[in-house]
Amino acid sequence: MRRSLLCLLLCASFAAAATREPVHTRHAMVATTEPHATRIGVDVLRDGGNAVDAAVAVGLALAVTHPAAGNLGGGGFMLIRFADGRSTFIDFREKAPAAASRNMYLGADGKPTDESIVGYKASGVPGTVRGLAMALDKYGTKRWRTLVEPAQRLAERGVVLSWSEAQAMEGSSRLAQFEESKRIFQKGGSFFAYGDLFRQRDLAATLKRIARKGPNEFYEGETARLIAEDMRRNGGLMTREDLAAYNAKEREPVRGSYRGYEVLSAPPPSSGGAGVVQMLNMLEGSRYFEAGFGSASATHYVAECMRRFFADRAEYFGDTDFADVPLEELLSPAYAKRRAATIDPERATPSAEVKPGLALAPESTQTTHYSIVDAEGNAVAVTYTLNGSFGSGVTAKGTGVLLNNEMDDFTAKPGEPNMFGLLQSARNAIEPGKRPLSAMSPTILSRDGKLAFVTGSPGGPTIISTVLQSILNVVDFGMDVQQAIDAPRFHHQWMPDELRMDDEGFSPDTIRLLEERGHTIRRVAPMGRAMAIRVTEKGLTGASDARSAGLAAGY
C-alpha cells in the first residue's frame, strides 16, 4: 500500500523511539499481562496442548497472579480461529441473578446509587469457570485437572509480588471495605510490599476442589454453597440456584473486512466487535493515514468515527437473547458510508449534533486480555474481567474468590452514565438471567485464508478504540507488533464530548491543531494494556504492552 512521505517519516520517527523489539518465535506464542501466566501457557503448548488448552491454563493462572482482573468470580469472552479457517466464540459473560430487577439501583431520588459498583449487590453470576470448561470440553485436548493444577500450585506456594500488583492491592479503597478482602489482599491493613511472597490458601483450596471434582463444583458444590451463604448473610442477590443455572453460550463471531484482511471479533452482548468492524468500515474508503501517524488530521478523522459508533452503541446494543440488536444494518458497508459522509475532515462535530444513525423504533480499566497461537496455527483471543479494579471488592468468605461488579454494565437508568461515563439504552436494562453489555473486543485478523494478527486489551470502553488502533497501526501505518501496541492512543466515546489522549506521546502541535478543529482535549493516564501476536513469513512476533508488566513468550 502506498503511503505519503509524511506518513513514512512520522512512522519511522515513532519506530526509532520504540523501547524494545517484538519477541520472535518459530512455532507458538503466548502474550499476557503477567509473566507466570505466560510461562504456564507456553508450558502447556510445549507439552503438546493446543491454543485452547493454553488459554484455559492461562485464565486460571491469572486468577491467582493478577487478582485485580484475572478471575474465577467474573466472566468474559473467548474468540477462537482454527488453523483450517473455522472460527467460534465462547460467551461466558456474567448474568443477572433471578432476584435482579430493572430499577434495583435507583435511590429514592430516582438517581443511580453505588450499589451496582461496590458490595454484595453489584455481582452478576460468574461465568469464567463454565466458559473455560466449555472451551476445553469442545475444542481442547488436555484434562481439566492438568490445566487447573499449575494455578493451584501458584496459590499454595505463593507468588512474589510485582511493584504494580502490590501497589494496586494497597491502593484499593474498595478492598478495604470488606473484612475478607482486606485480610487476604491487604494483610489486614498492614499491606503487602513489592517482593513479598503472596499466598492465597482459600483460593488454592477452591482450585483444588474444582480440579478434583470438575468445573461443576464451582456452580453446584461446596464453592457454590460458600458463595451463596456469604451472599445471603450480607444482603446479596446471588443464590445457589443462580449458580447452578448459569450456562456459557457458543455464538458466531462478528465478521468484517478491512483493506484485504478478514476481521473476526466479539458479537453481542459485546458491543466491541461490532464497534471495531463498524469503524473499520467507515475508514475503509478514506485515505486518512496519508497525513501520518500521530498527525492532527489522522487523529481527528479516526476520533470522528469513534464518536459516531459510540452514539450508535448508546442506543442499539444489548444482549441479543433479550433485545433486538440491528447488527446487519449497523455493520453494512452502505451504512458506514452514510455515517462517514457526515464527517467534516476539518472540524469536530459536536456530540450533541451526532445522533444514532438508524431510523428504528424505539467497561473498568481492570479487565485483562491474552493472545495465544499454537504450533498448528490455531489462535485464541481471550478478554475477561471483574469489571472494576478488584470487582465489587467482595471476596466470598472461605473461597478466596473475588466477585465482579458487572451489574454496573447494565443500564441502571437510561440517560444516566455508568462508572465509565457511558450512556446506554433500555435495550440494556436489567432483567433476570440477562448478560450486561460489554466493550470487550478480542479480535483476530487473517489474510488470504491465513492467520495474520491476534489482538485485544482491557480498558472499559477504551478497549474498543485500543483494539481499533492496534489494527490501524499494523495495517495502515506499517508498524511492527510492539510498536503498534506501544504507540500513544486516543479515545472518543460520544458522551462526554471530549477527546481523551494519552498524556505522553502526542506532540503539543498535534494537541493545538486538534483544539483548533473544535475538539475538547482531556489528557489521561495511558489507556489499555494490549497483548498481541502477529504472524509473519519467518514465524511469530509477539508483544506485551509497555504499559504493563506483561510477557510475550513462546518457542
Side-chain angles (χ1 to χ4, degrees):
M1 182 183 299
R2 296 181 61 190
R3 298 175 175 85
S4 70
L5 178 60
L6 177 58
C7 172
L8 290 173
L9 288 172
L10 286 168
C11 291
S13 175
F14 174 75
T19 57
R20 54 181 171 169
E21 285 288 316
V23 175
H24 297 265
T25 66
R26 286 179 174 271
H27 305 293
M29 178 80 72
V30 178
T32 88
T33 196
E34 199 284 319
H36 290 89
T38 295
R39 294 183 186 109
I40 284 171
V42 173
D43 287 345
V44 171
L45 296 176
R46 284 185 180 276
D47 194 43
N50 66 16
V52 173
D53 298 321
V56 172
V58 167
L60 294 165
L62 285 168
V64 179
T65 64
H66 186 46
N71 68 84
L72 301 184
F77 304 127
M78 179 184 293
L79 176 63
I80 309 170
R81 184 188 186 275
F82 301 99
D84 61 8
R86 293 177 298 124
S87 61
T88 192
F89 184 84
I90 308 292
D91 172 2
F92 54 99
R93 182 75 161 149
E94 302 88 337
K95 287 186 172 185
S101 59
R102 183 178 181 121
N103 296 322
M104 62 183 286
Y105 297 119
L106 298 185
D109 60 358
K111 296 287 187 180
T113 70
D114 69 354
E115 286 190 320
S116 67
I117 301 172
V118 181
Y120 283 84
K121 289 184 179 178
S123 297
V125 184
T128 292
V129 175
R130 277 255 161 90
L132 296 180
M134 172 187 271
L136 181 65
D137 183 58
K138 297 196 73 170
Y139 303 112
T141 66
K142 295 285 190 179
R143 294 171 60 235
W144 170 257
R145 182 168 187 164
T146 302
L147 301 178
V148 178
E149 285 174 345
Q152 179 190 332
R153 287 193 297 270
L154 281 175
E156 288 173 344
R157 299 172 186 175
V159 294
V160 175
L161 285 173
S162 69
W163 172 265
S164 59
E165 293 290 354
Q167 290 297 301
M169 289 192 292
E170 180 175 346
S172 174
S173 60
R174 198 171 297 167
L175 290 174
Q177 295 180 51
F178 302 97
E179 181 180 348
E180 191 76 349
S181 297
K182 185 176 181 179
R183 176 182 70 83
I184 294 171
F185 298 101
Q186 295 185 330
K187 212 173 180 179
S190 59
F191 302 112
F192 292 96
Y194 164 63
D196 283 353
L197 187 66
F198 177 50
R199 292 189 175 96
Q200 299 173 76
R201 292 182 175 88
D202 289 343
L203 182 58
T206 295
L207 288 164
K208 186 175 182 178
R209 285 193 299 271
I210 68 173
R212 186 174 68 251
K213 297 183 178 181
N216 282 346
E217 196 283 330
F218 186 91
Y219 295 93
E220 300 172 19
E222 175 71 0
T223 303
R225 182 187 69 80
L226 290 167
I227 292 172
E229 287 185 356
D230 199 39
M231 281 278 160
R232 186 176 65 251
R233 285 192 299 267
N234 292 281
L237 301 182
M238 197 189 313
T239 65
R240 291 194 72 171
E241 290 75 20
D242 289 322
L243 286 159
Y246 182 87
N247 66 303
K249 189 162 186 174
E250 193 163 15
R251 302 184 188 271
E252 280 292 316
V254 160
R255 298 175 185 273
S257 62
Y258 186 66
R259 306 197 197 277
Y261 288 86
E262 180 190 17
V263 181
L264 299 173
S265 196
S270 178
S271 63
V276 169
V277 171
Q278 186 186 113
M279 290 186 285
L280 290 173
N281 284 344
M282 282 189 264
L283 291 164
E284 177 82 54
S286 75
R287 305 292 292 178
Y288 82 96
F289 53 81
E290 291 183 340
F293 173 80
S295 66
S297 178
T299 302
H300 162 77
Y301 197 89
V302 176
E304 290 299 297
C305 293
M306 292 175 181
R307 189 196 304 267
R308 283 151 179 80
F309 161 69
F310 274 96
D312 284 350
R313 184 192 190 276
E315 179 65 25
Y316 301 126
F317 283 86
D319 182 349
T320 50
D321 292 342
F322 287 76
D324 181 21
V325 178
L327 266 186
E328 185 176 351
E329 295 95 327
L330 290 168
L331 299 183
S332 73
Y335 176 68
K337 186 175 181 179
R338 292 199 305 273
R339 290 296 260 171
T342 68
I343 296 174
D344 183 338
E346 301 300 327
R347 294 292 301 173
T349 309
S351 287
E353 298 177 11
V354 176
K355 306 300 181 185
L358 295 176
L360 299 177
E363 282 232 284
S364 162
T365 60
Q366 285 307 323
T367 299
T368 191
H369 175 87
Y370 53 96
S371 297
I372 300 173
V373 175
D374 67 24
E376 301 302 318
N378 303 301
V380 175
V382 178
T383 313
Y384 77 152
T385 187
L386 289 169
N387 199 30
S389 182
F390 300 102
S392 63
V394 169
T395 301
K397 190 173 180 61
T399 69
V401 174
L402 273 164
L403 296 172
N404 66 84
N405 60 350
E406 213 62 71
M407 294 296 287
D408 190 67
D409 274 0
F410 282 113
T411 305
K413 182 179 182 179
E416 292 284 343
N418 68 2
M419 77 165 86
F420 300 114
L422 287 170
L423 301 179
Q424 302 176 120
S425 76
R427 282 183 173 85
N428 189 42
I430 301 168
E431 296 180 60
K434 188 176 184 179
R435 303 175 203 257
L437 188 58
S438 172
M440 293 184 286
S441 312
T443 299
I444 298 174
L445 272 63
S446 59
R447 190 179 182 98
D448 299 328
K450 297 178 180 179
L451 179 65
F453 189 48
V454 186
T455 187
S457 178
T462 70
I463 292 171
I464 304 171
S465 50
T466 294
V467 171
L468 174 71
Q469 287 167 87
S470 73
I471 294 169
L472 300 180
N473 289 346
V474 167
V475 175
D476 288 340
F477 295 117
M479 296 183 191
D480 69 36
V481 65
Q482 190 71 59
Q483 295 162 0
I485 66 172
D486 285 353
R489 292 194 274 262
F490 56 92
H491 171 76
H492 203 303
Q493 62 182 48
W494 181 56
M495 294 291 185
D497 190 352
E498 60 187 21
L499 178 56
R500 302 177 194 179
M501 305 185 73
D502 276 349
D503 57 7
E504 295 181 0
F506 289 100
S507 75
D509 283 346
T510 293
I511 301 299
R512 177 181 56 79
L513 289 169
L514 286 166
E515 288 174 335
E516 289 177 0
R517 288 171 185 257
H519 291 280
T520 298
I521 305 298
R522 179 183 167 198
R523 306 304 295 272
V524 297
M527 292 178 280
R529 290 180 302 282
M531 304 291 150
I533 300 170
R534 190 175 183 187
V535 181
T536 72
E537 293 181 356
K538 296 182 179 180
L540 304 175
T541 60
S544 61
D545 202 314
R547 299 164 180 83
S548 78
L551 176 68
Y555 69 94

